Amino acid sequence: MCDICGSYPCLPGCPNNEPPEIYRCDRCGESIVAGDKFIEEPDGDIVCECCLDNMTMNDLLEELGISLQTAEVDIW
Ligand SMILES: [Zn+2]
Ligand SMILES: [Zn+2]
């Protein structure tokens, strides 16, 4: 019998019933479990696929430390 919910098998919503968390998204705090997709940013932050989906390209580039540049003509 489960220590947390007192049932076997576990009740829905019992933490023991959830797949083990491997990482946690630094944006939304959601668990990332086996099979989930995520990225690791250069600063070590973990971002889940769901948050990536909600990001604009600019957000994503910024998170990755890349800035969009504007092409300018060199005037000498
Ligand atoms: Zn349980
Ligand atoms: Zn997330």
Side-chain angles (χ1 to χ4, degrees):
M1 191 166 84
C2 173
D3 290 339
I4 297 171
C5 62
S7 298
Y8 184 85
C10 282
L11 297 172
C14 171
N16 272 350
N17 200 20
E18 310 280 312
E21 175 181 292
I22 301 171
Y23 296 105
R24 183 180 290 265
C25 175
D26 286 307
R27 289 202 147 219
C28 67
E30 281 293 310
S31 298
I32 294 167
V33 300
D36 284 353
K37 296 207 165 46
F38 69 97
I39 62 161
E40 184 173 356
E41 295 176 355
D43 58 8
D45 278 1
I46 301 294
V47 180
C48 72
E49 196 178 18
C50 173
C51 287
L52 280 178
D53 279 347
N54 291 327
M55 273 188 208
T56 63
M57 186 190 67
N58 278 339
D59 283 344
L60 181 60
L61 288 175
E62 201 171 293
E63 292 292 338
L64 296 175
I66 302 166
S67 36
L68 262 194
Q69 299 187 40
T70 308
E72 284 172 35
V73 179
D74 262 336
I75 303 168
W76 282 97

